Structure formats: structure tokens, C-alpha cells
Amino acid sequence: MNRFARHRRLTAAALTVLTVAAGATACSSGSGTADTKGADSGTYTIWDPYPQFDKTSAWAKLLDDCGTKAGVKIKRTAFDTSDLANKALLAAQQDNSADVLIVDNPVVSTLAEAGVLTTTDDNKLDTSKVDPNLLAAGQSGGKTYGTPIGANTLALYYNKKVLKDAGVDVSSVKDWKSLTAALAKVEKAGKKGITFSAIGTEEGSFQFLPWFWGSGAKLTELDSPEGASALKLWTDWLKEGYAPNSVLNNTQTTSWQEFASGDYAFAENGTWQLAGVKKLGFDYGVLPIPGASGGNAAAPTGGEFVTVPVQGDTGRYATSQKLVSCLTSSENLYDTDATLSYVAPTSEVQDKQVAANAELKPWVDAVKAAKGRTSDDLGTKYPKISEQLWKAVQSALSGSKSPEDALTAAQDAVK
């Protein structure tokens, strides 16, 4: 593609809503300053969404180590997650892309369709060990545009004491009916059932998707009977008092604070809470989100992809490939994913994680059942679908529309 053609496509892509990444993967906020690539070809630039890690961190040291192994120096810049996507688009317009770009997985298809990223056929990255359901988040139009560095997803945390006092055996929770029965017992015992985030942003869609997909619904058909059954489940929980009205405004952080009070039986939240859950002062467990009729529902995957942007000097790709291969090697994935509270994207490293920490087993199970938000070749269609989905959730939970009418309006808006 010539530079003019790429510039023209990028201009259109820059108008795409890139907020799908914000809030869904629990990366800390921060800011970075874009540095232009030095004239020295021995310096390679890496942009990442981890401003919480400074130059003394294990993450920064890993980048430097991989640079040393590849025989180059690393210039690293960290950005806020949502800011990074826009910076990447702008840099590509200016033919000044980073050599390696680590970006939230829903943004990969947007950048790929804009002509910003090379394919794994071009850059020779080996993705053969990556779990297919995780790799799918970085695929568009039958091509793969990078490799995941790790994954997080959603599951149900539960308070063991609240369930015990209510006479609930958590092993009985296998589907929606048994979960709702457990919530009824908890409410009758004077405690609170379940908290989650249904806010009118991507976080709300992110948290609703396990129930939507767990019903058998598809994002290409928001108004299906299956989708309506998922929204009715949430609506009924509010009507019965099993979930609080605060879910309408809850972020994943505020719903977690509700669970931290010790009054709730369940909280839908993510892998990123593992570091803090042991500080809550009560015994907890983790349960994969059940599907409507049983089994584990597909929860959306969070986490980043390591990608190689298009360069004017294609001779840089060989070294970029070495850097990415180093960052995503089995040895480094184990250490990196421990730092990021991620489940590894390969079964080999997942087994190693569980062997070292048995508490990760339900999270590995949840990740194995997980699904990328842009999978099924939705690509840049996803942001529009997601916006209508969270609006439908808000309408139904607030009582302004029935679940069926809310989802019908959502599907009409997407068309």
C-alpha cells in the first residue's frame, strides 16, 4: 500500500469510536509522551498500555532484556489504554509507528482494517501454541495481526460465609435457575445477592456479554429470544431485590466495592481483582459464570495483543519479530502474566500457572471458554453493536422498556 492510500484509510479509521477498550481490562490510568524513532537503527521503539509500570519495574526490565537478546536498545513509551489507540493511528499517518505496539485486543481489528498493522504472514510470528479462542480477537478478514500477551476475563466471586449462612451449597450452582434459587435463599436470609456493572458504557456491555452469550445469543442478532432471556434474567433480579439498583451506575470498581462490604453473596468481576481479594477479610471462592442451561458461559476476553505496525523500512521487521517472540515466549509469558494478573494464552503456560497457584484453576477454565468481543469477524462493527447493547440494558433495568422492546430498538439502531 502506498503512503497516500494508507493516509486516506487512516483518516477514516481515526473517526471510528475507539472507546471499546476503556474500562474493560482494568489497566491503570496514566500518560505517556510519544517519542519519535531515533535515527540510530539500533534503537527500537515499543509502545504499551502499562503506565503503572515505571523503568524500575519487572516489565520494563523484561523489555530491555529482550532488546539485549535481539542486539538492540529499547525506547519504551507507556500510554493510557484508550489514548494509545489514537496515538497509534496518528503515528501511522505520519509514517512514524512504533516497531512493536501492545494494544487492547478489541482495537486490533480497527488498526488492522486501517492498514496500521502487519499480518503474522508478513512478520513471521509463530502463533501455533496460542489458544484459538484467544487468538480470534486479533483476527480480521481471515488474517492474524499479532499474538496475545495474556488474557483476563470475568467470573463470579462468592463470599463463602454469606452462602453458608443462607444454606447454599455453591456446588449446586450450575445454571441460571440454580443461581437464581441461591440468590433467593441469600435474600431471604437477610443478605444481598449479586452485584455487577450495568453502566451505560463499554463496561456495561462487557459485563452483560457472558449472560448474553450464555443464553446462546449472537451479537449479530441482538433481538433474538435468547438475548431477551438474558436481559430478562438481570431485570428480574432487580425486581426481586436480588441485585441492587446501583448496578445501573456501577463501574466494575464500584461494584467490587459493594462486594468488599461483605454483604453480597456474589460479584461479577475480573481476574484483575485477584491481587486485592485476599485483603477483604473474608473467605471467598471463584465460579465461572454459568450458561443458561449449564456449562461455562463464554465471557469476553480482556488483555492485550503484541503487534508489529507497518514500517516504511521493512528491514526492521526481522528484529521486531525477535522482540515479540521474546516477550511472548513460554518462559517470559509466565513471569509477565503473573505481574499483570493475566491468564497465559497457551495451555502450556496455563498448566504451569495452575501448578504454582491452584486458585487460578477457575480462571483458566473461564479463559478457555472466553470469546473476543470482535470475534466472528465483527471487527469495527463491534463498537456500534456494543453501544446499542448497553443502551438496551440501561432501558430494561431502569424499567423504561421491556427486555424485548429494548433489544428490538437496539437491533434496529444497529441496522
Side-chain angles (χ1 to χ4, degrees):
M1 181 188 301
N2 64 47
R3 286 186 61 187
F4 174 76
R6 186 171 67 189
H7 177 88
R8 184 174 56 202
R9 289 182 65 190
L10 285 169
T11 302
L15 299 175
T16 301
V17 178
L18 291 171
T19 53
V20 296
T25 55
C27 289
S28 300
S29 297
S31 62
T33 303
D35 290 316
T36 55
K37 204 174 300 176
D40 177 12
S41 62
T43 298
Y44 277 66
T45 55
I46 296 180
W47 290 3
D48 69 49
Y50 311 129
Q52 68 269 39
F53 299 129
D54 64 20
K55 61 183 180 182
T56 67
S57 66
W59 168 249
K61 290 177 181 176
L62 172 60
L63 297 181
D64 287 339
D65 288 345
C66 286
T68 299
K69 290 177 181 177
V72 297
K73 292 178 66 176
I74 298 300
K75 178 179 282 188
R76 175 217 176 196
T77 308
F79 296 92
D80 173 77
T81 300
S82 55
D83 195 32
L84 179 55
N86 294 316
K87 288 291 195 299
L89 284 165
L90 180 61
Q93 284 180 295
Q94 299 169 343
D95 198 20
N96 192 34
S97 293
D99 291 292
V100 175
L101 177 66
I102 303 171
V103 65
D104 197 22
N105 74 70
V107 178
V108 173
S109 57
T110 297
L111 296 180
E113 289 179 34
V116 175
L117 305 177
T118 61
T119 69
T120 51
D121 287 339
D122 296 331
N123 57 44
K124 309 304 180 188
L125 285 177
D126 181 7
T127 61
S128 60
K129 292 184 178 180
V130 178
D131 287 353
N133 66 314
L134 301 181
L135 191 63
Q139 294 174 325
S140 179
K143 297 181 180 180
T144 304
Y145 292 89
T147 188
I149 199 167
N152 57 31
T153 194
L154 297 166
L156 296 179
Y157 287 87
Y158 60 88
N159 185 319
K160 292 184 178 180
K161 185 177 187 302
V162 170
L163 291 181
K164 182 179 180 182
D165 290 348
V168 174
D169 179 358
V170 75
S171 67
S172 69
V173 178
K174 299 181 180 297
D175 52 24
W176 291 1
K177 183 178 180 180
S178 54
L179 174 58
T180 301
L183 298 179
K185 284 187 176 182
V186 169
E187 197 269 340
K188 189 175 181 180
K191 290 293 186 178
K192 300 175 181 178
I194 186 168
T195 179
F196 47 87
S197 169
I199 194 170
T201 68
E202 175 61 19
E203 281 188 85
S205 292
F206 189 69
Q207 289 241 318
F208 182 59
L209 278 173
W211 312 95
F212 184 81
W213 282 332
S215 72
K218 297 179 180 179
L219 286 173
T220 51
E221 191 181 349
L222 296 179
D223 57 350
S224 68
E226 292 83 3
S229 71
L231 190 48
K232 186 176 186 298
L233 179 75
W234 271 21
T235 305
D236 287 348
W237 284 351
L238 261 68
K239 287 179 180 176
E240 296 294 334
Y242 301 158
N245 288 326
S246 58
V247 300
L248 275 159
N249 297 309
N250 270 350
T251 64
Q252 292 178 111
T253 298
T254 54
S255 69
W256 183 253
Q257 290 167 350
E258 289 179 338
F259 182 65
S261 70
D263 291 332
Y264 283 85
F266 295 95
E268 180 183 357
N269 226 293
T271 327
W272 52 89
Q273 303 293 6
L274 278 173
V277 70
K278 294 179 181 178
K279 301 174 184 176
L280 297 184
F282 54 79
D283 287 341
Y284 75 95
V286 178
L287 182 72
I289 295 171
S293 302
N296 295 342
T301 55
E304 289 77 40
F305 265 63
V306 190
T307 66
V308 177
V310 172
Q311 301 289 343
D313 178 6
T314 57
R316 300 182 70 84
Y317 295 153
T319 298
S320 295
Q321 188 269 348
K322 290 180 183 178
L323 294 172
V324 177
S325 296
C326 176
L327 291 174
T328 57
S329 68
S330 294
E331 178 184 356
N332 288 333
L333 274 179
Y334 180 78
D335 294 333
T336 299
D337 290 340
T339 298
L340 300 176
S341 292
Y342 278 169
V343 171
T346 68
S347 295
E348 176 186 359
V349 183
Q350 289 167 2
D351 292 345
K352 188 176 178 182
Q353 288 179 309
V354 172
N357 181 4
E359 292 180 357
L360 286 176
K361 179 64 167 65
W363 290 107
V364 169
D365 291 342
V367 163
K368 284 187 176 297
K371 185 174 181 177
R373 283 163 277 172
T374 58
S375 296
D376 299 329
D377 224 19
L378 287 179
T380 52
K381 299 174 187 174
Y382 174 75
K384 186 174 182 180
I385 293 171
S386 175
E387 181 179 1
Q388 297 308 319
L389 187 61
W390 82 58
K391 286 181 176 178
V393 169
Q394 287 267 304
S395 294
L397 295 189
S398 66
S400 64
K401 290 181 182 177
S402 69
E404 293 81 3
D405 288 347
L407 288 170
T408 296
Q411 184 62 31
D412 289 344
V414 169
K415 288 178 181 176

